[in-house]
Amino acid sequence: MDPIIRPKEAYFEQTARNMEKFLRVPEWTIQQKIALTCRILAAEGHESALAGQITSRGEKPGTYWMLSFGLGFDEAMASNIVLVDDDLNILEGDGMVNPSNRFHLWIYRHRPHVNAIVHTHPPHVSALSLIGEPLVSAHMDTSMFYDDCAFLAHWPGAPVGDEEGRLIHEALGDKRAILLAHHGQLVATGTMEEACVLGVFIERAARMQILARSAGTIKPINPEFAREAHDYRLKPKAVGGTFHYFARRILKHDDEALR
Ligand SMILES: [Zn+2]
């Protein structure tokens, strides 16, 4: 048998150094990143008419960026992202605020390190939410959700009030993601790039879970390796590189999102 040439950590370190050197993300503004995230998620099948919201903390405390209400994700442009205060009054930009953004404010208020939230109702996540089944992380590609996806079993109705905000933020706890029964999913992260990437992969994880379960029994993965893969997949450069890849797929067709 061939000997192991180097310990695995050496390869992780080498890859981390190379990602720092080679994976560059353009200096897009936060409005451009939100618009790109909206279009990336639309292209990934998250479009659900006017449902779902993508938001980010503003530079000034108590301010938040979000897509003007009435537009679909695939219509998002940097110029139709509005800035609101912590009671959903518009501070910058024209349009109407989506009243469902109120529960995002609850998460921002209680999780100071959260700067971006992606909330959508994509089909496979929604299917799991209908049967009340939590997300299972048992594949390398979806290891970002290992021990990092909560489940809210109770549906509090349309989330336009404060009570729904309290329930959702309490169920989320300190995790990055949550499946909401009879509703959809939400990810709350430090950057818009990470929220976008997790938003894409939570739907892929749900699709994988439904496919796997229809064919057999899902086997759990080794917890130690799962945690290692979780941290590796969430390295900022890996997330940035993945976001840039998804953004390039959108910008190949037109650059409307950036305008
Ligand atoms: Zn929703």
Side-chain angles (χ1 to χ4, degrees), residues 52-53 119 121 159 183:
Q53 313 91 31
H119 163 62
H121 309 172
H183 187 171

Side-chain angles (χ1 to χ4, degrees), residues 185-244:
Q185 67 80 26
L186 179 140
V187 295
T189 62
T191 65
M192 183 46 67
E193 290 91 328
E194 188 175 318
C196 178
V197 170
L198 289 188
V200 169
F201 278 95
I202 198 168
E203 168 62 358
R204 292 186 182 187
R207 185 176 60 198
M208 222 182 263
Q209 184 169 335
I210 291 167
L211 277 172
R213 215 161 42 80
S214 68
T217 306
I218 297 175
K219 295 181 179 153
I221 46 176
N222 177 313
E224 185 195 337
F225 294 158
R227 281 189 202 100
E228 183 183 76
H230 167 277
D231 295 350
Y232 183 63
R233 295 294 305 258
L234 286 169
K235 280 190 182 299
K237 280 287 171 181
V239 166
T242 309
F243 177 76
H244 192 204

